[in-house]
Amino acid sequence: MDDFKIPLRTRFAPSPTGYLHRGHVLNAIMVWGVARLYGGKIMLRVEDHDRERCRPEYETALLEDLQWLGLEWDEFSRQSDREEIYLEMLDALRMTEHVYHCQCSRKDILENSMQPGGELWYPGTCDNLDLDEKDNGVRVVLPTYSTGFDDSILGEQIQTPALQCGDILLRDRKGNWTYHFACVVDDFLQKINLVIRGEDLLESTGRQMMLHTMLANPNSPKYLHHPLIFEKNGVKMSKRDFSMSIREERSKGINREKLFGEVLYSAGILPAYRPVAVGELLQITEIYLFRILQKKQNLRRK
Ligand code: GLU
């Protein structure tokens, strides 16, 4: 794509809260394919910011699964090793005087908030209460304007995070950093210039771009949200299909060529199922991006 920054730096960022499944494989293929196609670097980032839900054995398992897939990475980081960095960045954010403490539980928010678009929306209950930090969460006030970006696959997007989720939680009441905060700090400081992730995370992007601005990152990354897996052998996937981990599939004897082929087919990236070798992933990614680019150009012409 002509608008990717070179040298390209992207990341694969799984959370070790469970075993990898097909959705992760699709994301890993896209990250790997795009990075290798453009001579870029891949950061494998273990997003273990939630201490309650993450387990070291899931990290070990994900490293092993990735090795089995043959999708290698160039750099490695783990969020639980970066506590000091998040603290520093939080201090920097406090200088803006838009940071406040929040005593609300998830239940409180569920009870008191409207949820436009079905999302949990924080109504700013604790802003101006001047609560101290102890046992409270930390939030930042979001500007009320809309933010736009040109997604590499989906094209122009406009989001208004203040109406979608309200003020963002940076650290929860138990002291866990949140996904948005840790992810933005890392994307910024690790100089990630292309974020490649599934469409299910599209709504995260406007708010993350605002956080980049608040942290004074002059170069917010570019975003590419790829389609999700929706079918297996032409049939819509059920919850059960997603709950089957790659480990389990491996133990049942699947080989990776079959897995790659099924995953790419079920995301609509391959028009028909066929086994795919690692060596073919580059070309498949290239053809896919070419198709997308053409579609986007046709849309612009209309
Ligand atoms: N840890 C997030 C996940 O596993 C990564 C999201 C992202 O790529 O920004 O869903």
Side-chain angles (χ1 to χ4, degrees), residues 270-286:
L270 272 187
Y273 167 75
R274 64 175 173 81
V276 171
V278 181
E280 291 175 88
L281 292 176
L282 269 191
Q283 203 199 9
I284 291 174
T285 314
E286 190 172 16

Side-chain angles (χ1 to χ4, degrees), residues 145-157:
Y145 56 76
S146 301
T147 183
F149 59 96
D150 182 21
D151 186 273
S152 297
I153 290 189
L154 303 170
E156 288 300 327
Q157 304 291 316

